[in-house]
mmCIF file with all atom_site columns, all heavy atoms in Angstrom:
data_model
loop_
_atom_site.group_PDB
_atom_site.id
_atom_site.type_symbol
_atom_site.label_atom_id
_atom_site.label_alt_id
_atom_site.label_comp_id
_atom_site.label_asym_id
_atom_site.label_entity_id
_atom_site.label_seq_id
_atom_site.pdbx_PDB_ins_code
_atom_site.Cartn_x
_atom_site.Cartn_y
_atom_site.Cartn_z
_atom_site.occupancy
_atom_site.B_iso_or_equiv
_atom_site.pdbx_formal_charge
_atom_site.auth_seq_id
_atom_site.auth_comp_id
_atom_site.auth_asym_id
_atom_site.auth_atom_id
_atom_site.pdbx_PDB_model_num
ATOM 1   N N   . HIS A 1 238 ? 32.937 -66.364 88.737  1.00 90.00 ? 238 HIS A N   1
ATOM 2   C CA  . HIS A 1 238 ? 31.568 -66.710 89.029  1.00 90.00 ? 238 HIS A CA  1
ATOM 3   C C   . HIS A 1 238 ? 31.247 -66.469 90.531  1.00 90.00 ? 238 HIS A C   1
ATOM 4   O O   . HIS A 1 238 ? 31.994 -66.864 91.346  1.00 90.00 ? 238 HIS A O   1
ATOM 5   C CB  . HIS A 1 238 ? 31.265 -68.140 88.616  1.00 90.00 ? 238 HIS A CB  1
ATOM 6   C CG  . HIS A 1 238 ? 31.282 -68.344 87.099  1.00 90.00 ? 238 HIS A CG  1
ATOM 7   N ND1 . HIS A 1 238 ? 31.878 -69.405 86.522  1.00 90.00 ? 238 HIS A ND1 1
ATOM 8   C CD2 . HIS A 1 238 ? 30.749 -67.595 86.098  1.00 90.00 ? 238 HIS A CD2 1
ATOM 9   C CE1 . HIS A 1 238 ? 31.786 -69.291 85.191  1.00 90.00 ? 238 HIS A CE1 1
ATOM 10  N NE2 . HIS A 1 238 ? 31.102 -68.199 84.936  1.00 90.00 ? 238 HIS A NE2 1
ATOM 11  N N   . GLU A 1 239 ? 30.098 -65.887 90.792  1.00 88.00 ? 239 GLU A N   1
ATOM 12  C CA  . GLU A 1 239 ? 29.637 -65.672 92.132  1.00 88.00 ? 239 GLU A CA  1
ATOM 13  C C   . GLU A 1 239 ? 28.434 -66.482 92.451  1.00 88.00 ? 239 GLU A C   1
ATOM 14  O O   . GLU A 1 239 ? 27.575 -66.720 91.580  1.00 88.00 ? 239 GLU A O   1
ATOM 15  C CB  . GLU A 1 239 ? 29.342 -64.155 92.328  1.00 88.00 ? 239 GLU A CB  1
ATOM 16  C CG  . GLU A 1 239 ? 30.516 -63.239 92.141  1.00 88.00 ? 239 GLU A CG  1
ATOM 17  C CD  . GLU A 1 239 ? 30.192 -61.784 92.334  1.00 88.00 ? 239 GLU A CD  1
ATOM 18  O OE1 . GLU A 1 239 ? 29.025 -61.481 92.668  1.00 88.00 ? 239 GLU A OE1 1
ATOM 19  O OE2 . GLU A 1 239 ? 31.133 -60.945 92.269  1.00 88.00 ? 239 GLU A OE2 1
ATOM 20  N N   . THR A 1 240 ? 28.333 -66.912 93.669  1.00 92.00 ? 240 THR A N   1
ATOM 21  C CA  . THR A 1 240 ? 27.201 -67.701 94.161  1.00 92.00 ? 240 THR A CA  1
ATOM 22  C C   . THR A 1 240 ? 26.217 -66.816 94.832  1.00 92.00 ? 240 THR A C   1
ATOM 23  O O   . THR A 1 240 ? 26.613 -65.862 95.616  1.00 92.00 ? 240 THR A O   1
ATOM 24  C CB  . THR A 1 240 ? 27.676 -68.836 95.122  1.00 92.00 ? 240 THR A CB  1
ATOM 25  O OG1 . THR A 1 240 ? 28.531 -69.680 94.463  1.00 92.00 ? 240 THR A OG1 1
ATOM 26  C CG2 . THR A 1 240 ? 26.513 -69.633 95.707  1.00 92.00 ? 240 THR A CG2 1
ATOM 27  N N   . GLY A 1 241 ? 24.912 -67.029 94.560  1.00 90.00 ? 241 GLY A N   1
ATOM 28  C CA  . GLY A 1 241 ? 23.890 -66.185 95.199  1.00 90.00 ? 241 GLY A CA  1
ATOM 29  C C   . GLY A 1 241 ? 23.770 -66.450 96.659  1.00 90.00 ? 241 GLY A C   1
ATOM 30  O O   . GLY A 1 241 ? 24.236 -67.498 97.214  1.00 90.00 ? 241 GLY A O   1
ATOM 31  N N   . GLU A 1 242 ? 23.149 -65.477 97.367  1.00 93.00 ? 242 GLU A N   1
ATOM 32  C CA  . GLU A 1 242 ? 23.028 -65.569 98.825  1.00 93.00 ? 242 GLU A CA  1
ATOM 33  C C   . GLU A 1 242 ? 21.909 -66.425 99.314  1.00 93.00 ? 242 GLU A C   1
ATOM 34  O O   . GLU A 1 242 ? 21.845 -66.847 100.491 1.00 93.00 ? 242 GLU A O   1
ATOM 35  C CB  . GLU A 1 242 ? 22.965 -64.170 99.455  1.00 93.00 ? 242 GLU A CB  1
ATOM 36  C CG  . GLU A 1 242 ? 21.761 -63.345 99.027  1.00 93.00 ? 242 GLU A CG  1
ATOM 37  C CD  . GLU A 1 242 ? 21.950 -62.511 97.778  1.00 93.00 ? 242 GLU A CD  1
ATOM 38  O OE1 . GLU A 1 242 ? 22.821 -62.825 96.987  1.00 93.00 ? 242 GLU A OE1 1
ATOM 39  O OE2 . GLU A 1 242 ? 21.214 -61.518 97.714  1.00 93.00 ? 242 GLU A OE2 1
ATOM 40  N N   . ASP A 1 243 ? 20.923 -66.698 98.406  1.00 94.00 ? 243 ASP A N   1
ATOM 41  C CA  . ASP A 1 243 ? 19.776 -67.457 98.844  1.00 94.00 ? 243 ASP A CA  1
ATOM 42  C C   . ASP A 1 243 ? 19.965 -68.972 98.462  1.00 94.00 ? 243 ASP A C   1
ATOM 43  O O   . ASP A 1 243 ? 20.908 -69.363 97.818  1.00 94.00 ? 243 ASP A O   1
ATOM 44  C CB  . ASP A 1 243 ? 18.496 -66.968 98.114  1.00 94.00 ? 243 ASP A CB  1
ATOM 45  C CG  . ASP A 1 243 ? 18.081 -65.659 98.668  1.00 94.00 ? 243 ASP A CG  1
ATOM 46  O OD1 . ASP A 1 243 ? 18.574 -65.218 99.728  1.00 94.00 ? 243 ASP A OD1 1
ATOM 47  O OD2 . ASP A 1 243 ? 17.139 -65.007 98.086  1.00 94.00 ? 243 ASP A OD2 1
ATOM 48  N N   . ALA A 1 244 ? 19.007 -69.777 98.931  1.00 94.00 ? 244 ALA A N   1
ATOM 49  C CA  . ALA A 1 244 ? 19.156 -71.256 98.752  1.00 94.00 ? 244 ALA A CA  1
ATOM 50  C C   . ALA A 1 244 ? 19.149 -71.634 97.267  1.00 94.00 ? 244 ALA A C   1
ATOM 51  O O   . ALA A 1 244 ? 18.488 -71.086 96.400  1.00 94.00 ? 244 ALA A O   1
ATOM 52  C CB  . ALA A 1 244 ? 17.982 -71.946 99.406  1.00 94.00 ? 244 ALA A CB  1
ATOM 53  N N   . MET A 1 245 ? 19.969 -72.631 96.955  1.00 95.00 ? 245 MET A N   1
ATOM 54  C CA  . MET A 1 245 ? 20.135 -73.094 95.612  1.00 95.00 ? 245 MET A CA  1
ATOM 55  C C   . MET A 1 245 ? 18.792 -73.630 95.070  1.00 95.00 ? 245 MET A C   1
ATOM 56  O O   . MET A 1 245 ? 18.048 -74.237 95.785  1.00 95.00 ? 245 MET A O   1
ATOM 57  C CB  . MET A 1 245 ? 21.206 -74.216 95.574  1.00 95.00 ? 245 MET A CB  1
ATOM 58  C CG  . MET A 1 245 ? 21.453 -74.743 94.188  1.00 95.00 ? 245 MET A CG  1
ATOM 59  S SD  . MET A 1 245 ? 22.886 -75.888 94.146  1.00 95.00 ? 245 MET A SD  1
ATOM 60  C CE  . MET A 1 245 ? 22.333 -77.272 95.184  1.00 95.00 ? 245 MET A CE  1
ATOM 61  N N   . ILE A 1 246 ? 18.520 -73.356 93.835  1.00 96.00 ? 246 ILE A N   1
ATOM 62  C CA  . ILE A 1 246 ? 17.315 -73.878 93.202  1.00 96.00 ? 246 ILE A CA  1
ATOM 63  C C   . ILE A 1 246 ? 17.331 -75.371 93.171  1.00 96.00 ? 246 ILE A C   1
ATOM 64  O O   . ILE A 1 246 ? 18.313 -76.009 92.868  1.00 96.00 ? 246 ILE A O   1
ATOM 65  C CB  . ILE A 1 246 ? 17.196 -73.291 91.768  1.00 96.00 ? 246 ILE A CB  1
ATOM 66  C CG1 . ILE A 1 246 ? 16.998 -71.754 91.793  1.00 96.00 ? 246 ILE A CG1 1
ATOM 67  C CG2 . ILE A 1 246 ? 16.068 -73.940 90.944  1.00 96.00 ? 246 ILE A CG2 1
ATOM 68  C CD1 . ILE A 1 246 ? 17.201 -71.052 90.535  1.00 96.00 ? 246 ILE A CD1 1
ATOM 69  N N   . GLN A 1 247 ? 16.172 -75.966 93.500  1.00 95.00 ? 247 GLN A N   1
ATOM 70  C CA  . GLN A 1 247 ? 16.152 -77.428 93.781  1.00 95.00 ? 247 GLN A CA  1
ATOM 71  C C   . GLN A 1 247 ? 15.972 -78.285 92.520  1.00 95.00 ? 247 GLN A C   1
ATOM 72  O O   . GLN A 1 247 ? 15.560 -79.441 92.583  1.00 95.00 ? 247 GLN A O   1
ATOM 73  C CB  . GLN A 1 247 ? 15.030 -77.741 94.777  1.00 95.00 ? 247 GLN A CB  1
ATOM 74  C CG  . GLN A 1 247 ? 15.277 -77.130 96.162  1.00 95.00 ? 247 GLN A CG  1
ATOM 75  C CD  . GLN A 1 247 ? 16.601 -77.679 96.743  1.00 95.00 ? 247 GLN A CD  1
ATOM 76  O OE1 . GLN A 1 247 ? 16.701 -78.866 97.066  1.00 95.00 ? 247 GLN A OE1 1
ATOM 77  N NE2 . GLN A 1 247 ? 17.583 -76.809 96.919  1.00 95.00 ? 247 GLN A NE2 1
ATOM 78  N N   . SER A 1 248 ? 16.174 -77.718 91.337  1.00 96.00 ? 248 SER A N   1
ATOM 79  C CA  . SER A 1 248 ? 16.174 -78.446 90.104  1.00 96.00 ? 248 SER A CA  1
ATOM 80  C C   . SER A 1 248 ? 17.385 -78.020 89.334  1.00 96.00 ? 248 SER A C   1
ATOM 81  O O   . SER A 1 248 ? 17.611 -76.815 89.262  1.00 96.00 ? 248 SER A O   1
ATOM 82  C CB  . SER A 1 248 ? 14.939 -78.222 89.326  1.00 96.00 ? 248 SER A CB  1
ATOM 83  O OG  . SER A 1 248 ? 14.992 -78.758 87.986  1.00 96.00 ? 248 SER A OG  1
ATOM 84  N N   . ASN A 1 249 ? 18.060 -78.946 88.715  1.00 96.00 ? 249 ASN A N   1
ATOM 85  C CA  . ASN A 1 249 ? 19.176 -78.558 87.820  1.00 96.00 ? 249 ASN A CA  1
ATOM 86  C C   . ASN A 1 249 ? 18.675 -78.178 86.462  1.00 96.00 ? 249 ASN A C   1
ATOM 87  O O   . ASN A 1 249 ? 18.984 -77.110 85.948  1.00 96.00 ? 249 ASN A O   1
ATOM 88  C CB  . ASN A 1 249 ? 20.162 -79.697 87.720  1.00 96.00 ? 249 ASN A CB  1
ATOM 89  C CG  . ASN A 1 249 ? 21.300 -79.393 86.791  1.00 96.00 ? 249 ASN A CG  1
ATOM 90  O OD1 . ASN A 1 249 ? 21.107 -79.324 85.561  1.00 96.00 ? 249 ASN A OD1 1
ATOM 91  N ND2 . ASN A 1 249 ? 22.508 -79.167 87.355  1.00 96.00 ? 249 ASN A ND2 1
ATOM 92  N N   . TYR A 1 250 ? 17.824 -78.999 85.843  1.00 97.00 ? 250 TYR A N   1
ATOM 93  C CA  . TYR A 1 250 ? 17.372 -78.771 84.477  1.00 97.00 ? 250 TYR A CA  1
ATOM 94  C C   . TYR A 1 250 ? 16.553 -77.571 84.389  1.00 97.00 ? 250 TYR A C   1
ATOM 95  O O   . TYR A 1 250 ? 16.618 -76.764 83.408  1.00 97.00 ? 250 TYR A O   1
ATOM 96  C CB  . TYR A 1 250 ? 16.568 -79.962 83.951  1.00 97.00 ? 250 TYR A CB  1
ATOM 97  C CG  . TYR A 1 250 ? 16.241 -79.922 82.542  1.00 97.00 ? 250 TYR A CG  1
ATOM 98  C CD1 . TYR A 1 250 ? 17.206 -80.055 81.535  1.00 97.00 ? 250 TYR A CD1 1
ATOM 99  C CD2 . TYR A 1 250 ? 14.952 -79.646 82.069  1.00 97.00 ? 250 TYR A CD2 1
ATOM 100 C CE1 . TYR A 1 250 ? 16.988 -79.971 80.215  1.00 97.00 ? 250 TYR A CE1 1
ATOM 101 C CE2 . TYR A 1 250 ? 14.663 -79.558 80.731  1.00 97.00 ? 250 TYR A CE2 1
ATOM 102 C CZ  . TYR A 1 250 ? 15.645 -79.759 79.748  1.00 97.00 ? 250 TYR A CZ  1
ATOM 103 O OH  . TYR A 1 250 ? 15.401 -79.684 78.442  1.00 97.00 ? 250 TYR A OH  1
ATOM 104 N N   . PHE A 1 251 ? 15.739 -77.255 85.372  1.00 98.00 ? 251 PHE A N   1
ATOM 105 C CA  . PHE A 1 251 ? 14.841 -76.059 85.354  1.00 98.00 ? 251 PHE A CA  1
ATOM 106 C C   . PHE A 1 251 ? 15.358 -74.888 86.163  1.00 98.00 ? 251 PHE A C   1
ATOM 107 O O   . PHE A 1 251 ? 14.591 -73.982 86.483  1.00 98.00 ? 251 PHE A O   1
ATOM 108 C CB  . PHE A 1 251 ? 13.428 -76.482 85.911  1.00 98.00 ? 251 PHE A CB  1
ATOM 109 C CG  . PHE A 1 251 ? 12.704 -77.501 85.007  1.00 98.00 ? 251 PHE A CG  1
ATOM 110 C CD1 . PHE A 1 251 ? 12.105 -78.592 85.608  1.00 98.00 ? 251 PHE A CD1 1
ATOM 111 C CD2 . PHE A 1 251 ? 12.702 -77.288 83.634  1.00 98.00 ? 251 PHE A CD2 1
ATOM 112 C CE1 . PHE A 1 251 ? 11.429 -79.505 84.766  1.00 98.00 ? 251 PHE A CE1 1
ATOM 113 C CE2 . PHE A 1 251 ? 11.977 -78.243 82.892  1.00 98.00 ? 251 PHE A CE2 1
ATOM 114 C CZ  . PHE A 1 251 ? 11.428 -79.298 83.386  1.00 98.00 ? 251 PHE A CZ  1
ATOM 115 N N   . ASP A 1 252 ? 16.642 -74.838 86.366  1.00 97.00 ? 252 ASP A N   1
ATOM 116 C CA  . ASP A 1 252 ? 17.274 -73.682 87.071  1.00 97.00 ? 252 ASP A CA  1
ATOM 117 C C   . ASP A 1 252 ? 17.419 -72.522 86.134  1.00 97.00 ? 252 ASP A C   1
ATOM 118 O O   . ASP A 1 252 ? 18.247 -72.515 85.257  1.00 97.00 ? 252 ASP A O   1
ATOM 119 C CB  . ASP A 1 252 ? 18.643 -74.204 87.572  1.00 97.00 ? 252 ASP A CB  1
ATOM 120 C CG  . ASP A 1 252 ? 19.386 -73.139 88.417  1.00 97.00 ? 252 ASP A CG  1
ATOM 121 O OD1 . ASP A 1 252 ? 19.235 -71.945 88.145  1.00 97.00 ? 252 ASP A OD1 1
ATOM 122 O OD2 . ASP A 1 252 ? 20.096 -73.553 89.343  1.00 97.00 ? 252 ASP A OD2 1
ATOM 123 N N   . LEU A 1 253 ? 16.511 -71.572 86.304  1.00 98.00 ? 253 LEU A N   1
ATOM 124 C CA  . LEU A 1 253 ? 16.525 -70.453 85.342  1.00 98.00 ? 253 LEU A CA  1
ATOM 125 C C   . LEU A 1 253 ? 17.696 -69.559 85.492  1.00 98.00 ? 253 LEU A C   1
ATOM 126 O O   . LEU A 1 253 ? 18.084 -68.829 84.529  1.00 98.00 ? 253 LEU A O   1
ATOM 127 C CB  . LEU A 1 253 ? 15.232 -69.604 85.479  1.00 98.00 ? 253 LEU A CB  1
ATOM 128 C CG  . LEU A 1 253 ? 13.945 -70.283 84.975  1.00 98.00 ? 253 LEU A CG  1
ATOM 129 C CD1 . LEU A 1 253 ? 12.755 -69.359 85.142  1.00 98.00 ? 253 LEU A CD1 1
ATOM 130 C CD2 . LEU A 1 253 ? 14.091 -70.597 83.463  1.00 98.00 ? 253 LEU A CD2 1
#
Side-chain angles (χ1 to χ4, degrees):
H238 291 134
E239 297 181 0
T240 299
E242 63 269 25
D243 287 351
M245 183 171 64
I246 293 167
Q247 295 299 295
S248 170
N249 179 288
Y250 189 71
F251 294 133
D252 185 325
L253 286 180

